[in-house]
Amino acid sequence: MPYDPSDFPPFAVTVDLVVLTVRRHALCALTVRRGEEPHQGQWALPGGFVRTDEDLASAAARELAEETGLRTHESGNRHSAAHLEQLATYGDPGRDPRMRVVSVAHLVLAPDLPTPTPGGDAGGAQWTPVGDLLGDEVSRGAGTGTEAGATAGIGAATPLAFDHGRILADGVERARSKIEYSSLAAAFCPPEFTVGELRRVYEAVWGVVLDPRNFHRKVTGTPGFLVPVGGTTTRQGGRPAQLFRAGGATVLNPPMLRPEV
Amino acid sequence: MPYDPSDFPPFAVTVDLVVLTVRRHALCALTVRRGEEPHQGQWALPGGFVRTDEDLASAAARELAEETGLRTHESGNRHSAAHLEQLATYGDPGRDPRMRVVSVAHLVLAPDLPTPTPGGDAGGAQWTPVGDLLGDEVSRGAGTGTEAGATAGIGAATPLAFDHGRILADGVERARSKIEYSSLAAAFCPPEFTVGELRRVYEAVWGVVLDPRNFHRKVTGTPGFLVPVGGTTTRQGGRPAQLFRAGGATVLNPPMLRPEV
DNA sequence: ATAATAGTGTCTCTCAGACACTATGAG
DNA sequence: CTCATAGTGTCTGAGAGACACTATTAT
């Protein structure tokens, strides 16, 4: 089969981003308001076309920087950089009514940003709890009880444009399963964090409540998982907690077990 | 950004297949001989262009059927059907010197086929041990000792064309990790199989030796994992073994632990 | 008989889960 | 003081790993 350009139909290749963070005890995704048809006015995932000279990961990192100003650490600059990995590719004919678009979705895990929406070219980006976008029960009410049930009514999901709801669901499931056996949950935390802050990340992502004592014993007892950095903090209230940073151990064995599975 | 076709460069979208099976106690991949430049005469993964009207999984299933005659069970026909799932997407500029090609790789797990190469359109397809293709130590010598070291000399890897070596490595790693926590290893077995045959699949894929008694206790003690089908067989020699088929439980909790990690 | 694999029972050690208890801050 | 979170110790039950032992075929 010779590579005659007329042999294959015109494909557009894009990257879509599932950018997750933990805000106020809830797992949130970055969404942008669509300014044109189709699905005008609906929420969608950020994304854009892949350029001729860049690879897929670079395209995703560029789009992320354009939309949020976040930098990713491609095995480079440590500290306050987001984690980026390829998620999956979506290419059903008709997923975009205008033409054949194959979208390579990427997953980004970011610490909570003080600036929710540094304006990119997309109009109006914001963080939205994934429970509001998916109508997923486990994605709601992950708080410690203070504001349980304070979110919108059950099932009142705001559907995303195109097939972005499915992409988001796949990304959330990837994040939920991956923090089981890796130190990736630290990507949701600032460079230095406490054991309690890391535990609250697990609780928000999984939508469960974990025993603080057993969690502390587990993560501090796994060699290379957490590295004490020396200082303490009282930003959570209560007794001062030691500060840690993520250790070099990226794989967690035995894994952290997600309760009630 | 309007969808002007001149806005984006010409992309070709293909599917590549990592088709794995277990033959003679070794994990093997389906490879085809390239008939044209570039990389003429080298081994490559099977694959082809995605057509206008088909989605990505359909394209992969079609290519698989063309090359091997295998059918996949897309939640449909049970029994003697291969498992197919999307693996990852590879789109570096320059991965194909002729033009910009984005390839959506898929992973296929198939039982050992009596007919190694039903001729498709590709010239000369064959099963090759993944250890010969990757130069990976754990991929070699997974046998019980009878033919240990009978394969090619150490490090004598036969590199695949393009970036197919990396794609294969990713597919093998996916298969190795996924059989830990799912019943996917049964996809390497015929519809009815014994506990010993399933154990030899794990041993071949992981390149380890497992304790037969503990393995038996583990897999038969997990509810829904194996369903006894009634008969027995002596095709492995020794005492007749019960025949099972894969149960409905697709997730294995707690997981099967890969030794020496 | 031997050789092969199938399958059961038993022991030990590790670890997850539950929870009592102490430590140290803010108000 | 109370209330919050941090951190340690202890018990128990489930399960992985090791391995003795029996069962059933082929040769």
Side-chain angles (χ1 to χ4, degrees):
Chain A
M1 51 182 107
Y3 274 51
D4 184 348
S6 62
D7 276 2
F8 50 86
F11 279 91
V13 177
T14 63
V15 287
D16 283 328
L17 296 178
V18 177
V19 187
L20 300 179
T21 195
V22 174
R23 289 171 70 85
R24 296 173 56 250
H25 284 203
L27 183 65
C28 296
L30 187 67
T31 51
V32 298
R33 182 82 76 173
R34 281 190 57 77
E36 61 183 61
E37 291 294 342
H39 304 289
Q40 185 171 8
Q42 245 180 306
W43 293 105
L45 299 177
F49 287 100
V50 177
R51 295 179 182 165
T52 311
D53 57 339
E54 66 187 353
D55 62 30
L56 302 173
S58 300
R62 174 180 53 76
E63 291 287 342
L64 178 67
E66 288 176 7
E67 308 266 9
T68 68
L70 267 173
R71 298 224 150 268
T72 62
H73 62 183
E74 291 288 346
S75 70
N77 37 329
R78 283 259 182 264
H79 290 331
S80 79
H83 168 87
L84 183 144
E85 67 179 52
Q86 195 187 105
L87 177 60
T89 299
Y90 302 82
D92 281 7
R95 63 179 290 273
D96 188 315
R98 293 162 295 187
M99 64 174 302
R100 185 71 191 266
V101 179
V102 169
S103 177
V104 184
H106 286 71
L107 177 64
V108 176
L109 307 187
D112 192 1
L113 301 176
T115 53
T117 57
D121 51 3
Q126 76 168 36
W127 294 109
T128 311
V130 298
D132 294 350
L133 296 168
L134 298 176
D136 181 13
E137 289 166 27
V138 74
S139 304
R140 305 165 176 279
T144 48
T146 309
E147 53 180 347
T151 49
I154 54 173
T158 306
L160 291 170
F162 304 111
D163 55 357
H164 289 188
R166 176 156 144 62
I167 298 176
L168 174 63
D170 291 347
V172 169
E173 178 50 38
R174 169 81 67 92
R176 281 186 180 143
S177 67
K178 206 152 184 180
I179 64 174
E180 281 188 73
Y181 55 90
S182 77
S183 60
L184 215 53
F188 286 116
C189 296
E192 296 184 355
F193 52 90
T194 70
V195 173
E197 289 165 347
L198 185 65
R199 175 172 49 82
R200 276 177 277 272
V201 164
Y202 275 91
E203 291 178 335
V205 175
W206 284 345
V208 298
V209 174
L210 300 175
D211 186 291
R213 295 96 86 188
N214 292 335
F215 183 87
H216 188 281
R217 183 159 40 83
K218 171 77 178 176
V219 297
T220 57
T222 302
F225 189 55
L226 293 182
V227 178
V229 81
T232 60
T233 183
T234 60
R235 60 188 172 214
Q236 296 294 335
R239 168 177 168 179
Q242 289 183 63
L243 284 169
F244 296 87
R245 57 177 179 81
T250 61
V251 66
L252 190 52
N253 194 299
M256 180 95 54
L257 292 181
R258 187 163 16 166
E260 198 206 357
V261 176
Chain B
M1 52 182 111
Y3 274 51
D4 184 349
S6 61
D7 275 4
F8 50 86
F11 279 92
V13 177
T14 64
V15 288
D16 283 328
L17 296 177
V18 177
V19 188
L20 300 179
T21 195
V22 173
R23 290 172 69 86
R24 299 173 53 250
H25 283 203
L27 183 65
C28 297
L30 188 68
T31 50
V32 297
R33 182 82 76 174
R34 282 191 56 78
E36 62 184 61
E37 291 295 343
H39 305 289
Q40 185 170 8
Q42 246 180 307
W43 292 106
L45 299 177
F49 287 99
V50 176
R51 295 179 182 166
T52 310
D53 58 338
E54 66 187 353
D55 61 29
L56 302 173
S58 301
R62 174 180 54 75
E63 290 288 342
L64 178 67
E66 288 176 8
E67 307 266 8
T68 68
L70 267 172
R71 297 223 150 269
T72 63
H73 62 183
E74 290 288 346
S75 72
N77 37 328
R78 285 259 181 268
H79 290 332
S80 79
H83 168 86
L84 183 144
E85 68 179 51
Q86 193 186 106
L87 176 59
T89 299
Y90 302 82
D92 281 7
R95 64 179 290 275
D96 189 313
R98 293 161 296 186
M99 64 174 303
R100 186 70 191 267
V101 179
V102 169
S103 177
V104 183
H106 286 71
L107 176 65
V108 176
L109 307 187
D112 192 1
L113 301 176
T115 54
T117 57
D121 51 4
Q126 77 168 34
W127 294 109
T128 310
V130 298
D132 295 351
L133 296 168
L134 298 177
D136 179 13
E137 288 167 25
V138 74
S139 303
R140 305 167 177 279
T144 49
T146 310
E147 54 179 347
T151 48
I154 54 172
T158 306
L160 290 170
F162 304 110
D163 55 358
H164 289 188
R166 175 155 146 63
I167 299 175
L168 174 63
D170 290 347
V172 168
E173 179 49 36
R174 170 81 67 93
R176 280 184 181 146
S177 68
K178 205 152 185 180
I179 65 174
E180 280 189 76
Y181 56 90
S182 78
S183 61
L184 214 54
F188 285 117
C189 296
E192 296 184 356
F193 53 89
T194 70
V195 173
E197 289 165 346
L198 185 65
R199 175 172 48 83
R200 276 177 276 272
V201 164
Y202 276 90
E203 292 179 334
V205 175
W206 284 346
V208 297
V209 174
L210 301 174
D211 185 290
R213 295 96 86 189
N214 292 335
F215 182 88
H216 189 282
R217 182 159 42 82
K218 171 78 177 175
V219 296
T220 58
T222 302
F225 188 55
L226 293 182
V227 177
V229 80
T232 60
T233 183
T234 61
R235 61 189 172 211
Q236 296 292 338
R239 169 176 166 181
Q242 290 182 63
L243 284 169
F244 296 87
R245 58 178 177 81
T250 60
V251 66
L252 190 52
N253 194 300
M256 181 94 52
L257 293 180
R258 189 166 9 169
E260 198 204 357
V261 174

